[in-house]
């Protein structure tokens, strides 16, 4: 069975540009969460979507947005890129909307470099 | 706000036990987790513990929870070279069930 897939694997952008990152959850999973992992730090929660609705949002500026499609895949969009947006962006899928035993399965991430 | 702290590095000899420690601030956390991240890979959930438990054992892994001191530890018995990775302690955010708060990670290296 395919795990969580993310595309692209690597991406280089320049300041001021925008970027779209994509995630396909495990089949049957309805929830997708996005995390930003800056080098040397732990992942920081950005968004969670469940059944196409936003269920949680982390402390990120409005330049960050996301959406979930009817097939439960998701896109993360970042506008007006800053150097500090350079990071590994991780997508995680789970069966339900949350709760301790609702295990999140992580994809390999998209490495974004902003020059 | 919630915060999770852990030491940055740990070096152990192959075959010895590794103990990775973590402290957290949210005393109402219901679930605490240990994740493993290998180079170029995503995060893998190793184990979790519910807050009403003191200990959980799963093969070579033992998790100890001290709620009074808000201290969580992960013990890996008979550490192998394949255990080299970054280990993240994490807690479920009490205000948003969808949010997991991660520590900065402990890099475990294995000496021959």
């Amino acid at each position: 069975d395919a795990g969580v897939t993310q595309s692209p694997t690597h991406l280089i952008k320049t300041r001021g540009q925008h970027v779209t990152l994509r995630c396909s959850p495990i089949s049957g999973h309805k929830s997708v969460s996005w995390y930003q992992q800056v080098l040397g730090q732990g992942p920081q929660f950005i968004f969670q979507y469940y059944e196409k609705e936003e269920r949680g949002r982390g402390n990120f500026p409005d330049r960050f947005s996301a959406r979930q499609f009817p097939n439960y895949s998701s896109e993360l969009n970042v506008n007006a890129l800053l150097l500090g947006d350079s990071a590994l962006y991780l997508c995680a899928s789970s069966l339900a909307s949350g709760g301790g035993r609702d295990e999140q399965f992580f994809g390999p991430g998209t490495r974004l470099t902003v020059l | 706000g919630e915060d999770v702290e852990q030491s940055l590095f740990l070096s152990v000899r192959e075959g010895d036990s590794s103990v990775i420690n973590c402290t957290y601030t949210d005393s109402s956390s219901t679930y605490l987790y240990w994740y493993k991240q290998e180079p170029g890979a995503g995060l893998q959930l190793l184990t979790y513990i519910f807050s009403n438990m003191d200990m959980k054992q799963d093969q070579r892994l033992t998790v100890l929870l001290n709620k009074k001191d808000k201290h969580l530890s992960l013990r890996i018995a008979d550490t192998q070279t394949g255990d080299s990775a970054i280990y993240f302690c994490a807690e479920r955010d009490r205000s948003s069930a969808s949010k997991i708060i991660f520590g900065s990670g402990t890099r475990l290296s294995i000496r021959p």
Side-chain angles (χ1 to χ4, degrees):
Chain A
D1 287 341
V4 178
T5 59
Q6 294 185 242
S7 63
T9 54
H10 296 85
L11 200 53
I12 299 175
K13 292 284 189 178
T14 57
R15 283 178 295 175
Q17 287 187 311
H18 73 272
V19 67
T20 298
L21 310 181
R22 296 177 175 84
C23 172
S24 292
I26 292 171
S27 177
H29 285 193
K30 298 182 178 180
S31 174
V32 169
S33 297
W34 287 95
Y35 291 81
Q36 180 196 64
Q37 186 178 18
V38 173
L39 193 63
Q41 297 182 19
Q44 298 289 313
F45 175 77
I46 309 175
F47 288 111
Q48 191 217 11
Y49 276 77
Y50 176 71
E51 289 282 16
K52 301 180 288 294
E53 291 187 1
E54 182 182 301
R55 290 297 184 95
R57 172 185 282 258
N59 188 23
F60 280 81
D62 292 342
R63 299 185 296 108
F64 289 76
S65 63
R67 55 180 176 168
Q68 187 176 33
F69 299 99
N71 66 353
Y72 302 110
S73 66
S74 177
E75 285 183 352
L76 174 70
N77 295 284
V78 187
N79 294 323
L81 285 167
L82 303 174
L83 295 179
D85 295 331
S86 295
L88 179 68
Y89 287 85
L90 295 165
C91 171
S93 79
S94 62
L95 280 168
S97 62
R101 293 189 182 180
D102 184 33
E103 180 178 350
Q104 294 191 1
F105 294 84
F106 283 82
T110 293
R111 172 76 60 190
L112 172 65
T113 302
V114 182
L115 303 177
Chain B
E2 300 88 356
D3 194 17
V4 178
E5 294 188 355
Q6 45 185 135
S7 53
L8 293 180
F9 299 100
L10 177 66
S11 177
V12 298
R13 192 181 305 275
E14 186 176 3
D16 288 351
S17 293
S18 306
V19 179
I20 304 171
N21 295 300
C22 165
T23 57
Y24 60 97
T25 57
D26 185 357
S27 59
S28 64
S29 289
T30 54
Y31 284 89
L32 296 130
Y33 309 89
W34 284 103
Y35 284 84
K36 177 182 181 182
Q37 187 175 39
E38 295 179 272
L43 292 163
Q44 174 194 359
L45 178 64
L46 285 177
T47 186
Y48 66 89
I49 188 167
F50 189 54
S51 59
N52 67 352
M53 301 168 64
D54 298 324
M55 185 183 81
K56 181 179 180 181
Q57 189 155 1
D58 183 3
Q59 299 182 336
R60 293 192 298 123
L61 304 179
T62 302
V63 178
L64 295 178
L65 175 60
N66 182 328
K67 286 195 70 177
K68 174 177 172 291
D69 295 336
K70 299 178 192 173
H71 182 267
L72 184 73
S73 69
L74 173 69
R75 177 177 181 269
I76 305 173
D78 187 24
T79 309
Q80 303 298 309
T81 54
D83 295 323
S84 293
I86 300 176
Y87 291 82
F88 292 94
C89 172
E91 64 177 344
R92 178 75 68 172
D93 185 283
R94 63 174 171 167
S95 61
S96 172
S98 58
K99 179 180 177 181
I100 297 177
I101 300 166
F102 288 84
S104 296
T106 298
R107 182 178 295 274
L108 175 64
S109 63
I110 315 301
R111 306 190 304 272

